[in-house]
Amino acid sequence: MAEVYKLIHPVKFFNDYISRDVRPDGRKFDEQRDILLNINAIKTADASAVVKCGNTTVICGIKLELAKPKAEEPDIGFLVSNVELLPLCSPKFLPGPPSDYAQVISNLVSDIVTNSKCVDLKDLCIISDKLAWVVYCDLVCLDYDGSVVDACIIAIMTSLKTLSLPSVTFDIETEETKVDTSVRLPLQIHGLPVATSFAVYQQMPRSIVLADPSAYEEEMCGSIGANLIVCWNKGLFCGIQKFGGCNLSTEDEKKTLILAKERSKLVETVIETCIKNEC
């Protein structure tokens, strides 16, 4: 009966719950969903991870390739990430070229990883102006239920932390390249950025901040995705993104920063524990 009511009167259904200071799934406003993480899920990839935040499920696979560095940056390698939101993950996404939202998510994930400087691109250079690694990070959303950026960042960072680079020898005279996959060195990771999404709901006269919103909550808050994304990196604030919605009070802003910082510590523990148990 509740599902029928939700389908016929989605806004009133949502308001009825919010007015009682509880969310439709039973969570408190600042409560976040459980995280499940698995590494090395794709045996054909150089590194991989699957993460599930609530129902939102994202898989990341990394493949390595050799290429010549850019002429203007001869001692820097490449880190290329891409996020795909396929029709199988939600009826919101249609077959064909990537939607505008998918491109925004892909760019946002790339910006968070790049701006956090968790990977020194100079570590990917083998021979200056001759040879460098290209790290392709492909992320696919298998089930979309909100806060997809959070899941993508966990998946890509876990994959990068488990990535190792094969030994490469390059003959400058003949320009012959030999790759020895039996000898590998782990990629150095400097820091661990963690994204935390929030949705801001305007219920006059107050604005309500919902942590880790579901897809339904994102829609009710007037956005395709989260209204607010806060990033922390090993206890250091490293970015915030606001996508429309109503304004936040100073008190609410401080609350989101504190919640995001606490969650970043939790995610760090989850990732480290998962990698340790796999070793």
Side-chain angles (χ1 to χ4, degrees):
M1 188 66 184
E3 287 299 320
V4 176
Y5 180 38
K6 177 181 176 181
L7 185 64
I8 298 174
H9 301 290
V11 177
K12 190 175 187 306
F13 176 85
F14 189 67
N15 270 321
D16 287 347
Y17 276 95
I18 297 299
S19 61
R20 292 176 174 80
D21 292 334
V22 68
R23 297 158 75 168
D25 57 8
R27 288 185 290 157
K28 298 176 182 178
F29 293 160
D30 60 353
E31 189 177 344
Q32 294 160 354
R33 297 173 291 184
D34 292 337
I35 300 172
L36 299 177
L37 181 63
N38 183 29
I39 61 175
N40 297 328
I42 308 174
K43 299 305 179 183
T44 55
D46 291 294
S48 62
V50 180
V51 63
K52 187 172 184 179
C53 300
N55 289 328
T56 297
T57 307
V58 173
I59 187 168
C60 175
I62 293 181
K63 291 297 287 183
L64 295 171
E65 202 173 273
L66 293 170
K68 185 176 181 179
K70 293 180 181 178
E72 60 272 20
E73 297 175 330
D75 58 346
I76 288 181
F78 306 91
L79 178 62
V80 183
S81 63
N82 182 59
V83 179
E84 290 189 41
L85 301 177
L86 302 178
L88 67 88
C89 73
S90 171
K92 294 180 181 179
F93 309 116
L94 303 175
S99 64
D100 292 341
Y101 178 61
Q103 294 180 57
V104 168
I105 295 299
S106 188
N107 290 335
L108 183 55
V109 169
S110 178
D111 288 344
I112 291 173
V113 174
T114 302
N115 294 336
S116 68
K117 300 188 185 300
C118 59
V119 176
D120 187 351
L121 297 182
K122 291 185 178 181
D123 292 341
L124 300 177
C125 182
I126 301 170
I127 303 293
S128 181
D129 199 33
K130 295 292 184 181
L131 199 64
W133 284 112
V134 184
V135 181
Y136 289 106
C137 306
D138 292 309
L139 298 113
V140 178
C141 182
L142 303 178
D143 191 349
Y144 182 91
D145 191 27
S147 305
V148 70
V149 173
D150 303 6
C152 286
I153 294 299
I154 295 174
I156 193 172
M157 290 310 306
T158 304
S159 300
L160 287 171
K161 284 184 72 69
T162 58
L163 177 65
S164 58
L165 305 176
S167 174
V168 178
T169 55
F170 180 76
D171 191 319
I172 298 178
E173 294 181 358
T174 62
E175 295 191 351
E176 183 181 356
T177 304
K178 292 183 179 179
V179 180
D180 186 359
T181 55
S182 63
V183 180
R184 289 176 172 266
L185 291 175
L187 177 65
Q188 295 298 312
I189 303 296
H190 312 281
L192 184 62
V194 176
T196 304
S197 297
F198 299 90
V200 184
Y201 185 67
Q202 186 74 39
Q203 188 183 56
M204 299 302 293
R206 59 175 180 165
S207 293
I208 299 168
V209 179
L210 305 175
D212 187 17
S214 66
Y216 171 63
E217 290 170 337
E218 289 177 348
E219 186 178 345
M220 289 299 101
C221 292
S223 177
I224 300 177
N227 297 120
L228 181 71
I229 298 175
V230 182
C231 297
W232 285 86
N233 184 1
K234 289 288 188 179
L236 298 176
F237 175 67
C238 67
I240 186 168
Q241 298 276 350
K242 180 78 164 63
F243 301 96
C246 57
N247 294 327
L248 284 176
S249 65
T250 303
E251 183 181 346
D252 285 336
E253 287 181 359
K254 290 180 179 179
K255 185 179 179 182
T256 60
L257 292 175
I258 292 172
L259 286 172
K261 188 173 184 179
E262 290 175 351
R263 184 174 186 272
S264 69
K265 295 177 182 178
L266 172 64
V267 172
E268 288 173 16
T269 303
V270 170
I271 293 175
E272 297 294 345
T273 303
C274 184
I275 293 174
K276 183 180 179 181
N277 291 340
E278 186 73 16
C279 294

